Amino acid sequence: MSEQSGDMRALIEQIAKALVDAPDQALVNQVEEDQISVLELEVAESDMGRVIGRSGRTAKAMRTLLGASGMKLHKRFTLEILED
């Protein structure tokens, strides 16, 4: 994992922890697949709505940030929000 990839993981983790009521349960795991880095975000079940947002707006905004950052780094990132 490159330093920039670690920065993307930390970015998503910081955003998620700022949004949720249980920041200690917000975890981001990075999985490398072919040409894509998959960031898996896990939050408490009660906080799922906070990270997804109304009509998925918050999740879409986080994915947009990853996409824009990935363009600069010449790497593809995707965000998966996992349920318990």
Side-chain angles (χ1 to χ4, degrees), residues 8 11-12 15 58-71 77:
M8 292 302 104
L11 173 67
I12 294 299
I15 292 169
T58 305
K60 184 177 180 191
M62 287 192 285
R63 289 183 175 113
T64 300
L65 277 172
L66 280 176
S69 300
M71 296 269 286
F77 293 94

Side-chain angles (χ1 to χ4, degrees), residues 3-29:
E3 184 178 330
Q4 289 88 7
S5 295
D7 290 346
M8 292 302 104
R9 190 195 67 74
L11 173 67
I12 294 299
E13 192 168 285
Q14 278 296 118
I15 292 169
K17 286 183 181 213
L19 291 171
V20 299
D21 287 331
D24 55 314
Q25 293 184 40
L27 303 170
V28 179
N29 186 33

Side-chain angles (χ1 to χ4, degrees), residues 9-64:
R9 190 195 67 74
L11 173 67
I12 294 299
E13 192 168 285
Q14 278 296 118
I15 292 169
K17 286 183 181 213
L19 291 171
V20 299
D21 287 331
D24 55 314
Q25 293 184 40
L27 303 170
V28 179
N29 186 33
Q30 185 163 341
V31 179
E32 298 291 332
E33 294 181 0
D34 296 328
Q35 303 293 328
I36 302 174
S37 288
V38 179
L39 299 176
E40 298 175 336
L41 172 61
E42 275 188 78
V43 295
E45 190 173 332
S46 59
D47 288 326
M48 190 65 70
R50 292 181 183 274
V51 295
I52 293 173
R54 191 168 297 186
S55 300
R57 287 185 189 152
T58 305
K60 184 177 180 191
M62 287 192 285
R63 289 183 175 113
T64 300

